[in-house]
Coordinates of all heavy atoms in Angstrom, one line a residue:
M267 N 7.9 6.4 -12.0 CA 8.3 6.6 -10.6 C 8.0 5.2 -9.8 O 7.0 4.7 -10.0 CB 7.5 7.8 -10.0 CG 8.0 8.1 -8.6 SD 7.1 9.6 -8.1 CE 8.0 10.0 -6.7
A268 N 8.9 4.8 -8.9 CA 8.7 3.5 -8.2 C 7.7 3.7 -7.1 O 7.6 4.8 -6.5 CB 10.0 3.1 -7.6
K269 N 6.9 2.7 -6.8 CA 6.0 2.7 -5.8 C 6.8 2.5 -4.4 O 7.8 2.0 -4.5 CB 5.0 1.5 -5.9 CG 4.0 1.7 -7.1 CD 3.2 0.5 -7.0 CE 2.1 0.6 -8.0 NZ 1.1 -0.6 -8.0
N270 N 6.1 3.0 -3.3 CA 6.8 2.8 -2.1 C 6.5 1.4 -1.7 O 5.6 0.7 -2.2 CB 6.3 3.9 -1.0 CG 4.9 3.7 -0.7 OD1 4.4 2.6 -0.5 ND2 4.2 4.8 -0.5
P271 N 7.3 0.9 -0.7 CA 7.1 -0.5 -0.3 C 5.7 -0.9 0.2 O 5.2 -2.0 -0.1 CB 8.1 -0.7 0.9 CG 9.1 0.4 0.6 CD 8.4 1.5 0.0
S272 N 5.0 0.0 0.9 CA 3.7 -0.3 1.3 C 2.7 -0.6 0.1 O 1.9 -1.5 0.1 CB 3.1 0.8 2.2 OG 3.9 0.9 3.4
D273 N 2.9 0.3 -0.9 CA 2.0 0.1 -2.1 C 2.3 -1.2 -2.8 O 1.4 -1.9 -3.3 CB 2.2 1.2 -3.1 CG 1.6 2.6 -2.6 OD1 0.8 2.5 -1.7 OD2 2.1 3.6 -3.1
R274 N 3.6 -1.6 -2.9 CA 4.0 -2.8 -3.5 C 3.5 -4.0 -2.7 O 2.9 -5.0 -3.3 CB 5.5 -2.9 -3.7 CG 6.1 -2.1 -4.8 CD 7.5 -2.5 -5.0 NE 8.3 -2.3 -3.8 CZ 9.3 -1.4 -3.7 NH1 9.7 -0.7 -4.8 NH2 9.9 -1.2 -2.6
L275 N 3.6 -3.9 -1.4 CA 3.1 -5.0 -0.6 C 1.6 -5.2 -0.7 O 1.1 -6.3 -0.9 CB 3.4 -4.7 0.9 CG 2.8 -5.7 2.0 CD1 3.4 -7.0 1.7 CD2 3.1 -5.2 3.3
L276 N 0.8 -4.0 -0.7 CA -0.6 -4.1 -0.9 C -0.9 -4.7 -2.3 O -1.8 -5.6 -2.4 CB -1.2 -2.7 -0.8 CG -2.7 -2.6 -0.7 CD1 -3.3 -3.4 0.4 CD2 -3.1 -1.2 -0.6
A277 N -0.3 -4.3 -3.3 CA -0.5 -4.8 -4.7 C -0.2 -6.4 -4.7 O -1.0 -7.1 -5.3 CB 0.3 -4.0 -5.7
D278 N 0.9 -6.7 -4.1 CA 1.3 -8.1 -4.0 C 0.2 -9.0 -3.3 O -0.2 -10.0 -3.8 CB 2.6 -8.4 -3.4 CG 3.8 -7.8 -4.3 OD1 3.6 -7.6 -5.5 OD2 4.9 -7.7 -3.8
L279 N -0.2 -8.4 -2.2 CA -1.2 -9.2 -1.4 C -2.5 -9.3 -2.1 O -3.2 -10.3 -2.1 CB -1.4 -8.5 0.0 CG -0.2 -8.7 1.0 CD1 -0.5 -7.9 2.2 CD2 0.0 -10.2 1.3
N280 N -2.9 -8.3 -2.8 CA -4.1 -8.3 -3.7 C -4.0 -9.3 -4.8 O -5.0 -10.0 -5.1 CB -4.4 -6.9 -4.2 CG -5.1 -6.0 -3.2 OD1 -5.9 -6.4 -2.5 ND2 -4.8 -4.7 -3.3
Q281 N -2.8 -9.4 -5.3 CA -2.6 -10.4 -6.4 C -2.7 -11.8 -5.8 O -3.2 -12.7 -6.5 CB -1.2 -10.2 -7.1 CG -0.9 -11.0 -8.3 CD -2.0 -10.9 -9.4 OE1 -2.2 -9.7 -9.8 NE2 -2.5 -12.0 -9.9
V282 N -2.2 -12.0 -4.7 CA -2.2 -13.4 -4.0 C -3.7 -13.7 -3.8 O -4.1 -14.9 -4.0 CB -1.3 -13.4 -2.7 CG1 -1.7 -14.6 -1.9 CG2 0.1 -13.4 -3.0
V283 N -4.4 -12.8 -3.3 CA -5.8 -13.1 -3.0 C -6.6 -13.4 -4.3 O -7.3 -14.4 -4.4 CB -6.5 -11.9 -2.3 CG1 -8.0 -12.0 -2.3 CG2 -6.0 -11.8 -0.9
S284 N -6.2 -12.7 -5.4 CA -6.9 -12.9 -6.7 C -6.5 -14.2 -7.2 O -7.3 -15.0 -7.7 CB -6.4 -11.8 -7.6 OG -6.9 -12.0 -8.9
D285 N -5.2 -14.6 -7.1 CA -4.7 -15.9 -7.6 C -5.4 -17.0 -6.8 O -5.7 -18.1 -7.4 CB -3.2 -16.0 -7.5 CG -2.5 -15.1 -8.5 OD1 -3.2 -14.6 -9.4 OD2 -1.3 -14.9 -8.4
A286 N -5.5 -16.9 -5.5 CA -6.1 -17.9 -4.7 C -7.6 -18.1 -5.1 O -8.1 -19.3 -5.1 CB -6.0 -17.6 -3.2
E287 N -8.3 -17.0 -5.3 CA -9.7 -17.1 -5.8 C -9.8 -17.8 -7.1 O -10.6 -18.6 -7.3 CB -10.3 -15.7 -5.8 CG -10.5 -15.1 -4.5 CD -11.1 -13.7 -4.6 OE1 -10.8 -12.9 -5.6 OE2 -11.8 -13.3 -3.7
S288 N -8.8 -17.5 -8.0 CA -8.9 -18.2 -9.3 C -8.6 -19.7 -9.1 O -9.2 -20.6 -9.7 CB -7.8 -17.6 -10.2 OG -8.0 -16.3 -10.5
L289 N -7.7 -20.0 -8.2 CA -7.4 -21.5 -7.9 C -8.6 -22.2 -7.3 O -9.0 -23.3 -7.7 CB -6.2 -21.6 -6.9 CG -5.8 -23.0 -6.6 CD1 -5.4 -23.8 -7.7 CD2 -4.7 -22.9 -5.6
L290 N -9.4 -21.4 -6.4 CA -10.6 -22.0 -5.9 C -11.6 -22.3 -7.0 O -12.3 -23.3 -7.0 CB -11.2 -21.1 -4.8 CG -10.5 -21.1 -3.4 CD1 -11.1 -20.1 -2.6 CD2 -10.6 -22.5 -2.8
R291 N -11.8 -21.3 -7.9 CA -12.7 -21.5 -9.0 C -12.3 -22.7 -9.9 O -13.2 -23.5 -10.4 CB -12.9 -20.3 -9.8 CG -13.7 -19.2 -9.1 CD -14.0 -18.0 -10.1 NE -12.9 -17.4 -10.6 CZ -12.3 -16.4 -9.9 NH1 -12.8 -15.9 -8.7 NH2 -11.2 -15.7 -10.4
A292 N -11.0 -22.8 -10.1 CA -10.5 -23.9 -11.0 C -10.7 -25.3 -10.4 O -10.8 -26.2 -11.2 CB -9.1 -23.5 -11.3
T293 N -10.7 -25.3 -9.1 CA -10.8 -26.7 -8.4 C -12.2 -26.9 -8.0 O -12.4 -27.8 -7.2 CB -9.8 -26.8 -7.3 OG1 -10.2 -25.7 -6.3 CG2 -8.4 -26.7 -7.7
S294 N -13.2 -26.1 -8.4 CA -14.6 -26.2 -7.9 C -15.2 -27.6 -8.4 O -16.1 -28.0 -7.7 CB -15.4 -25.1 -8.3 OG -15.5 -25.1 -9.7
D295 N -14.7 -28.2 -9.4 CA -15.3 -29.5 -9.8 C -14.7 -30.6 -9.0 O -15.3 -31.8 -9.1 CB -14.9 -29.7 -11.3 CG -13.5 -29.8 -11.6 OD1 -12.6 -29.3 -10.7 OD2 -13.1 -30.3 -12.6
Q296 N -13.8 -30.4 -8.1 CA -13.3 -31.5 -7.2 C -14.3 -31.7 -6.1 O -14.7 -30.8 -5.3 CB -12.0 -31.1 -6.5 CG -10.9 -30.8 -7.5 CD -10.4 -32.0 -8.2 OE1 -10.4 -33.1 -7.6 NE2 -10.0 -31.9 -9.5
T297 N -14.9 -32.9 -6.1 CA -16.1 -33.1 -5.2 C -15.8 -33.9 -3.9 O -16.7 -34.1 -3.1 CB -17.2 -33.8 -6.0 OG1 -16.7 -35.1 -6.5 CG2 -17.7 -32.9 -7.1
S298 N -14.6 -34.3 -3.7 CA -14.3 -35.1 -2.5 C -14.5 -34.2 -1.2 O -14.5 -33.0 -1.3 CB -12.9 -35.6 -2.5 OG -12.0 -34.5 -2.2
A299 N -14.9 -34.8 -0.1 CA -15.1 -34.1 1.1 C -13.8 -33.4 1.6 O -14.0 -32.3 2.1 CB -15.5 -35.2 2.2
T300 N -12.7 -34.0 1.4 CA -11.5 -33.2 1.8 C -11.3 -31.9 0.9 O -10.9 -30.9 1.5 CB -10.3 -34.2 1.6 OG1 -10.5 -35.4 2.3 CG2 -9.0 -33.6 2.1
A301 N -11.5 -32.0 -0.4 CA -11.4 -30.9 -1.2 C -12.4 -29.9 -0.9 O -12.0 -28.7 -0.8 CB -11.5 -31.3 -2.7
S302 N -13.6 -30.2 -0.6 CA -14.6 -29.3 -0.2 C -14.3 -28.6 1.1 O -14.5 -27.4 1.2 CB -16.0 -30.0 -0.1 OG -16.4 -30.5 -1.3
E303 N -13.8 -29.4 2.1 CA -13.4 -28.8 3.4 C -12.3 -27.8 3.2 O -12.3 -26.7 3.8 CB -13.0 -29.9 4.3 CG -12.7 -29.4 5.7 CD -12.2 -30.5 6.6 OE1 -12.7 -31.6 6.5 OE2 -11.3 -30.3 7.4
L304 N -11.3 -28.2 2.4 CA -10.1 -27.4 2.1 C -10.5 -26.1 1.5 O -10.1 -25.0 1.8 CB -9.0 -28.1 1.3 CG -7.8 -27.3 1.0 CD1 -7.1 -26.9 2.3 CD2 -6.8 -28.2 0.2
R305 N -11.4 -26.2 0.5 CA -11.9 -25.0 -0.2 C -12.6 -24.0 0.7 O -12.4 -22.8 0.7 CB -12.8 -25.4 -1.4 CG -12.1 -25.6 -2.7 CD -13.0 -25.6 -3.9 NE -14.1 -26.5 -3.8 CZ -14.1 -27.8 -4.0 NH1 -12.9 -28.3 -4.4 NH2 -15.1 -28.5 -3.9
A306 N -13.4 -24.6 1.6 CA -14.1 -23.8 2.5 C -13.2 -23.1 3.5 O -13.3 -21.8 3.9 CB -15.1 -24.6 3.4
R307 N -12.1 -23.8 4.0 CA -11.1 -23.1 4.8 C -10.4 -22.0 4.1 O -10.1 -20.9 4.7 CB -10.2 -24.2 5.4 CG -10.8 -25.1 6.5 CD -9.8 -25.8 7.2 NE -8.6 -26.2 6.6 CZ -8.1 -27.4 6.4 NH1 -8.8 -28.4 7.0 NH2 -7.0 -27.7 5.7
V308 N -9.9 -22.4 2.9 CA -9.2 -21.3 2.1 C -10.2 -20.1 1.8 O -9.6 -19.0 2.0 CB -8.7 -21.9 0.8 CG1 -8.2 -20.9 -0.2 CG2 -7.6 -23.0 1.1
Q309 N -11.4 -20.4 1.5 CA -12.3 -19.2 1.3 C -12.4 -18.4 2.5 O -12.5 -17.1 2.4 CB -13.7 -19.7 0.8 CG -14.6 -18.6 0.3 CD -14.1 -17.8 -0.8 OE1 -13.7 -18.4 -1.8 NE2 -14.0 -16.5 -0.7
A310 N -12.5 -19.0 3.7 CA -12.7 -18.2 4.9 C -11.4 -17.4 5.2 O -11.5 -16.2 5.6 CB -12.9 -19.2 6.0
T311 N -10.3 -18.0 4.9 CA -9.0 -17.3 5.1 C -8.9 -16.1 4.1 O -8.5 -15.0 4.5 CB -7.8 -18.3 4.9 OG1 -7.9 -19.3 5.8 CG2 -6.5 -17.5 5.1
L312 N -9.3 -16.4 2.9 CA -9.4 -15.2 1.9 C -10.2 -14.1 2.3 O -9.9 -12.9 2.1 CB -9.7 -15.8 0.5 CG -8.6 -16.5 -0.3 CD1 -9.3 -17.2 -1.5 CD2 -7.5 -15.6 -0.6
D313 N -11.4 -14.5 2.8 CA -12.4 -13.4 3.3 C -11.7 -12.6 4.4 O -11.8 -11.4 4.4 CB -13.6 -14.1 3.7 CG -14.5 -14.7 2.6 OD1 -14.2 -14.4 1.4 OD2 -15.3 -15.5 2.8
R314 N -11.1 -13.2 5.3 CA -10.4 -12.5 6.4 C -9.2 -11.7 5.8 O -9.1 -10.6 6.3 CB -9.8 -13.5 7.5 CG -10.8 -14.0 8.4 CD -10.3 -14.7 9.6 NE -9.2 -15.7 9.3 CZ -9.5 -17.0 9.0 NH1 -10.7 -17.5 9.0 NH2 -8.4 -17.8 8.8
A315 N -8.5 -12.2 4.9 CA -7.4 -11.4 4.3 C -7.9 -10.2 3.6 O -7.4 -9.2 3.7 CB -6.6 -12.3 3.3
K316 N -9.0 -10.4 2.8 CA -9.7 -9.2 2.1 C -10.0 -8.1 3.1 O -9.8 -6.9 2.9 CB -10.9 -9.6 1.3 CG -10.5 -10.3 0.1 CD -11.9 -10.6 -0.6 CE -11.7 -11.4 -1.9 NZ -13.0 -11.8 -2.6
G317 N -10.6 -8.5 4.2 CA -11.0 -7.6 5.3 C -9.7 -6.9 5.9 O -9.7 -5.6 6.0
S318 N -8.7 -7.7 6.1 CA -7.4 -7.1 6.6 C -6.8 -6.1 5.7 O -6.3 -5.0 6.0 CB -6.5 -8.1 7.0 OG -7.0 -8.9 8.1
L319 N -6.9 -6.5 4.4 CA -6.3 -5.6 3.3 C -7.0 -4.3 3.2 O -6.5 -3.2 3.1 CB -6.2 -6.3 2.0 CG -5.2 -7.3 1.8 CD1 -5.4 -8.0 0.5 CD2 -3.8 -6.8 1.7
G320 N -8.3 -4.4 3.3 CA -9.2 -3.2 3.3 C -8.9 -2.3 4.5 O -8.8 -1.0 4.3
D321 N -8.7 -2.8 5.7 CA -8.4 -2.1 6.8 C -7.0 -1.5 6.7 O -6.8 -0.3 7.0 CB -8.4 -3.0 8.1 CG -9.8 -3.5 8.5 OD1 -10.8 -2.9 7.9 OD2 -9.8 -4.5 9.2
F322 N -6.0 -2.2 6.2 CA -4.7 -1.7 6.0 C -4.7 -0.5 5.0 O -4.1 0.5 5.3 CB -3.8 -2.9 5.5 CG -2.4 -2.4 5.1 CD1 -1.5 -2.1 6.0 CD2 -2.0 -2.2 3.8 CE1 -0.2 -1.6 5.8 CE2 -0.7 -1.8 3.5 CZ 0.2 -1.5 4.4
Q323 N -5.5 -0.7 4.0 CA -5.5 0.4 3.0 C -6.2 1.6 3.5 O -5.8 2.7 3.3 CB -6.3 -0.2 1.7 CG -6.2 0.8 0.5 CD -6.8 0.1 -0.7 OE1 -7.5 -0.9 -0.7 NE2 -6.6 0.8 -1.9
S324 N -7.2 1.4 4.3 CA -7.9 2.6 4.9 C -7.0 3.3 5.9 O -6.9 4.5 5.9 CB -9.2 2.2 5.6 OG -10.1 1.6 4.7
A325 N -6.3 2.5 6.7 CA -5.4 3.1 7.6 C -4.2 3.9 6.9 O -3.8 4.9 7.3 CB -4.8 2.0 8.5
A326 N -3.7 3.3 5.8 CA -2.7 4.0 5.0 C -3.2 5.3 4.5 O -2.5 6.3 4.5 CB -2.1 3.0 3.9
I327 N -4.4 5.3 4.0 CA -5.0 6.5 3.4 C -5.2 7.6 4.5 O -4.9 8.7 4.3 CB -6.3 6.2 2.7 CG1 -6.1 5.4 1.4 CG2 -7.1 7.5 2.4 CD1 -7.3 4.8 0.7
D328 N -5.7 7.2 5.6 CA -5.8 8.1 6.8 C -4.5 8.7 7.2 O -4.4 9.9 7.5 CB -6.5 7.4 7.9 CG -8.0 7.0 7.7 OD1 -8.5 7.5 6.7 OD2 -8.5 6.1 8.5
R329 N -3.5 7.9 7.3 CA -2.1 8.4 7.6 C -1.6 9.4 6.6 O -1.0 10.4 6.9 CB -1.1 7.2 7.9 CG -1.3 6.4 9.2 CD -0.2 5.5 9.5 NE 0.2 4.6 8.3 CZ -0.4 3.4 8.3 NH1 -1.2 2.9 9.1 NH2 -0.1 2.6 7.2
A330 N -1.8 9.1 5.3 CA -1.3 10.0 4.3 C -2.1 11.3 4.3 O -1.5 12.3 4.2 CB -1.5 9.3 2.9
K331 N -3.4 11.2 4.6 CA -4.2 12.5 4.7 C -3.8 13.3 5.9 O -3.6 14.5 5.9 CB -5.7 12.2 4.9 CG -6.3 11.7 3.5 CD -7.8 11.5 3.7 CE -8.4 11.0 2.4 NZ -9.8 10.7 2.6
A332 N -3.5 12.6 7.0 CA -3.0 13.3 8.2 C -1.6 14.0 8.0 O -1.4 15.1 8.4 CB -2.9 12.3 9.4
A333 N -0.7 13.2 7.3 CA 0.6 13.8 7.0 C 0.5 15.0 6.1 O 1.1 16.0 6.3 CB 1.5 12.7 6.4
G334 N -0.5 14.9 5.1 CA -0.6 16.0 4.2 C -1.2 17.3 4.9 O -0.7 18.3 4.7
K335 N -2.1 17.0 5.9 CA -2.7 18.1 6.6 C -1.7 18.8 7.5 O -1.6 20.0 7.6 CB -3.9 17.5 7.4 CG -4.6 18.7 8.2 CD -5.9 18.1 8.9 CE -6.6 19.2 9.6 NZ -7.7 18.7 10.4
A336 N -0.9 17.9 8.2 CA 0.2 18.4 9.1 C 1.2 19.3 8.2 O 1.6 20.3 8.7 CB 0.9 17.4 9.8
T337 N 1.5 18.8 7.1 CA 2.5 19.5 6.2 C 1.8 20.8 5.8 O 2.5 21.9 5.8 CB 2.8 18.7 5.0 OG1 3.4 17.5 5.4 CG2 3.8 19.4 4.1
D338 N 0.6 20.8 5.4 CA -0.1 22.1 4.9 C -0.1 23.0 6.1 O 0.1 24.2 5.9 CB -1.5 21.7 4.5 CG -2.2 22.9 3.9 OD1 -1.7 23.5 3.0 OD2 -3.3 23.2 4.5
E339 N -0.5 22.6 7.3 CA -0.5 23.5 8.4 C 0.9 24.1 8.7 O 1.0 25.2 9.0 CB -1.0 22.7 9.6 CG -2.5 22.5 9.6 CD -3.1 21.6 10.8 OE1 -2.3 21.4 11.7 OE2 -4.2 21.2 10.7
Y340 N 2.0 23.2 8.7 CA 3.3 23.7 9.0 C 3.7 24.8 7.9 O 4.3 25.8 8.3 CB 4.3 22.6 9.0 CG 5.7 23.0 9.2 CD1 6.1 23.2 10.5 CD2 6.6 23.3 8.1 CE1 7.4 23.7 10.8 CE2 7.9 23.7 8.4 CZ 8.2 23.9 9.7 OH 9.5 24.4 10.0
V341 N 3.4 24.5 6.6 CA 3.8 25.5 5.6 C 3.1 26.8 5.8 O 3.7 27.9 5.6 CB 3.6 24.9 4.2 CG1 3.7 25.9 3.1 CG2 4.5 23.7 3.9
H342 N 1.8 26.7 6.2 CA 1.1 27.9 6.4 C 1.5 28.7 7.6 O 1.5 30.0 7.7 CB -0.5 27.6 6.5 CG -1.1 27.5 5.1 ND1 -1.1 26.2 4.5 CD2 -1.7 28.4 4.3 CE1 -1.8 26.4 3.3 NE2 -2.1 27.7 3.2
T343 N 2.0 28.0 8.6 CA 2.4 28.6 9.8 C 3.9 29.1 9.7 O 4.1 30.2 10.2 CB 2.4 27.5 11.0 OG1 1.1 27.0 11.2 CG2 2.9 28.1 12.3
N344 N 4.7 28.5 8.9 CA 6.1 28.9 8.7 C 6.4 28.9 7.3 O 7.3 28.1 6.8 CB 7.0 27.8 9.4 CG 6.6 27.6 10.9 OD1 6.7 28.4 11.7 ND2 6.2 26.3 11.3
P345 N 5.9 29.9 6.6 CA 6.1 29.9 5.1 C 7.5 30.2 4.7 O 8.1 29.6 3.8 CB 5.2 31.1 4.6 CG 4.9 31.9 5.8 CD 5.0 31.0 7.0
W346 N 8.3 31.1 5.5 CA 9.6 31.4 5.1 C 10.6 30.3 5.4 O 11.5 30.0 4.6 CB 10.1 32.7 5.8 CG 9.4 33.9 5.2 CD1 8.4 34.6 5.8 CD2 9.5 34.5 3.8 NE1 8.0 35.6 5.0 CE2 8.7 35.5 3.8 CE3 10.4 34.1 2.8 CZ2 8.6 36.3 2.6 CZ3 10.2 34.9 1.6 CH2 9.4 35.9 1.5
E347 N 10.3 29.6 6.5 CA 11.1 28.4 6.8 C 11.0 27.3 5.7 O 12.0 26.7 5.3 CB 10.9 27.9 8.1 CG 11.3 28.7 9.3 CD 10.9 28.1 10.6 OE1 10.7 26.9 10.7 OE2 10.8 28.8 11.6
S348 N 9.7 27.2 5.3 CA 9.4 26.1 4.3 C 10.1 26.5 2.9 O 10.6 25.7 2.3 CB 7.9 26.1 4.1 OG 7.3 25.7 5.2
I349 N 10.1 27.8 2.6 CA 10.8 28.2 1.3 C 12.3 28.0 1.5 O 12.8 27.5 0.5 CB 10.4 29.7 1.1 CG1 8.9 29.8 0.7 CG2 11.4 30.2 0.0 CD1 8.5 31.3 0.6
G350 N 12.8 28.3 2.6 CA 14.3 28.1 2.9 C 14.6 26.6 2.8 O 15.6 26.3 2.2
V351 N 13.9 25.7 3.4 CA 14.1 24.3 3.3 C 14.0 23.8 1.9 O 14.9 23.1 1.4 CB 13.2 23.5 4.2 CG1 13.3 22.0 3.9 CG2 13.4 23.8 5.7
A352 N 13.0 24.3 1.2 CA 12.8 23.8 -0.2 C 13.9 24.3 -1.1 O 14.5 23.5 -1.9 CB 11.5 24.3 -0.8
A353 N 14.4 25.5 -0.9 CA 15.6 26.1 -1.6 C 16.8 25.3 -1.4 O 17.7 25.0 -2.2 CB 15.7 27.6 -1.4
G354 N 17.0 25.0 -0.1 CA 18.2 24.3 0.4 C 18.2 22.8 -0.3 O 19.3 22.3 -0.7
V355 N 17.1 22.2 -0.3 CA 17.0 20.8 -0.9 C 17.2 20.9 -2.3 O 18.0 20.1 -2.9 CB 15.6 20.2 -0.5 CG1 15.4 18.9 -1.3 CG2 15.5 19.9 1.0
G356 N 16.7 21.9 -3.0 CA 16.9 22.1 -4.4 C 18.3 22.4 -4.8 O 18.9 21.9 -5.7
L357 N 19.0 23.2 -3.9 CA 20.4 23.5 -4.1 C 21.3 22.2 -4.0 O 22.2 21.9 -4.8 CB 20.9 24.6 -3.2 CG 22.4 24.9 -3.2 CD1 22.8 25.5 -4.5 CD2 22.7 25.9 -2.1
L358 N 21.0 21.5 -2.9 CA 21.7 20.2 -2.6 C 21.5 19.2 -3.8 O 22.5 18.6 -4.2 CB 21.2 19.6 -1.3 CG 21.9 18.3 -0.9 CD1 23.4 18.5 -0.7 CD2 21.3 17.8 0.3
L359 N 20.3 19.1 -4.2 CA 20.1 18.1 -5.4 C 20.8 18.6 -6.7 O 21.4 17.9 -7.4 CB 18.6 18.0 -5.6 CG 17.8 17.2 -4.6 CD1 16.4 17.2 -4.9 CD2 18.2 15.8 -4.6
G360 N 20.8 19.9 -6.8 CA 21.5 20.5 -8.0 C 22.9 20.2 -8.0 O 23.6 19.9 -9.0
L361 N 23.5 20.4 -6.8 CA 25.0 20.1 -6.6 C 25.3 18.6 -6.9 O 26.3 18.3 -7.5 CB 25.4 20.5 -5.2 CG 25.6 22.1 -5.0 CD1 25.8 22.3 -3.5 CD2 26.6 22.7 -5.9
L362 N 24.4 17.8 -6.3 CA 24.7 16.4 -6.5 C 24.5 15.9 -8.0 O 25.4 15.1 -8.5 CB 23.7 15.6 -5.7 CG 23.9 15.6 -4.1 CD1 22.8 14.9 -3.4 CD2 25.3 14.9 -3.8
I363 N 23.6 16.5 -8.7 CA 23.4 16.1 -10.0 C 24.5 16.7 -10.9 O 25.0 16.0 -11.9 CB 22.0 16.6 -10.5 CG1 20.9 15.8 -9.9 CG2 21.9 16.6 -12.1 CD1 19.5 16.4 -10.1
S364 N 25.0 17.9 -10.6 CA 26.0 18.5 -11.5 C 27.4 17.8 -11.3 O 28.2 17.9 -12.2 CB 26.1 20.0 -11.1 OG 26.6 20.2 -9.8
R365 N 27.6 17.1 -10.2 CA 28.8 16.4 -10.0 C 29.0 15.3 -10.9 O 30.1 14.8 -11.1 CB 29.0 16.0 -8.6 CG 29.3 17.1 -7.7 CD 29.5 16.6 -6.3 NE 29.9 17.7 -5.4 CZ 30.8 17.6 -4.4 NH1 31.4 16.5 -4.2 NH2 31.1 18.6 -3.7
R366 N 27.9 14.7 -11.4 CA 28.0 13.5 -12.3 C 28.3 13.8 -13.6 O 28.5 14.2 -14.5 CB 26.7 12.8 -12.2 CG 26.4 12.1 -10.9 CD 25.1 11.4 -10.9 NE 24.9 10.8 -9.5 CZ 24.0 10.0 -9.1 NH1 23.2 9.7 -10.1 NH2 23.9 9.6 -8.0

């Protein structure tokens, strides 16, 4: 099953952070003042990016939990409507699949 775009974005950003950290480790033997300053700036940027990614991930989890709770409440409040909607979606998907 394909990941949703937010999951792919988060995975890609985590990979970029990981690659940048690897690059910083690989260039740690560069001792010039410019290289040291650049490494420090990149490290600070990476630290901020990690914090932002953590916040983004936490917010996404909170939104998913809220959506799940709202769905659960709706289904418990309107069980017959939920069954009807699920049956309708199933029928529609069955019709679409059978046409192929």
Side-chain angles (χ1 to χ4, degrees):
M267 183 175 195
K269 290 182 175 181
N270 69 39
S272 295
D273 289 340
R274 282 191 302 240
L275 176 62
L276 188 59
D278 289 347
L279 289 175
N280 279 323
Q281 185 62 48
V282 167
V283 168
S284 176
D285 290 347
E287 287 175 331
S288 296
L289 181 61
L290 284 175
R291 282 191 299 275
T293 60
S294 64
D295 61 343
Q296 301 291 325
T297 57
S298 73
T300 305
S302 296
E303 181 183 327
L304 181 58
R305 270 196 307 279
R307 285 195 329 235
V308 169
Q309 187 62 53
T311 301
L312 283 173
D313 292 341
R314 283 193 311 272
K316 282 182 185 179
S318 296
L319 285 173
D321 294 344
F322 175 74
Q323 189 171 14
S324 295
I327 289 170
D328 291 343
R329 284 192 306 268
K331 285 180 182 180
K335 185 176 179 181
T337 301
D338 184 57
E339 288 176 8
Y340 179 82
V341 169
H342 280 89
T343 304
N344 306 300
W346 289 109
E347 288 179 23
S348 301
I349 291 170
V351 169
V355 169
L357 177 65
L358 181 62
L359 287 175
L361 288 172
L362 290 173
I363 291 171
S364 68
R365 288 185 173 215
R366 291 183 180 185

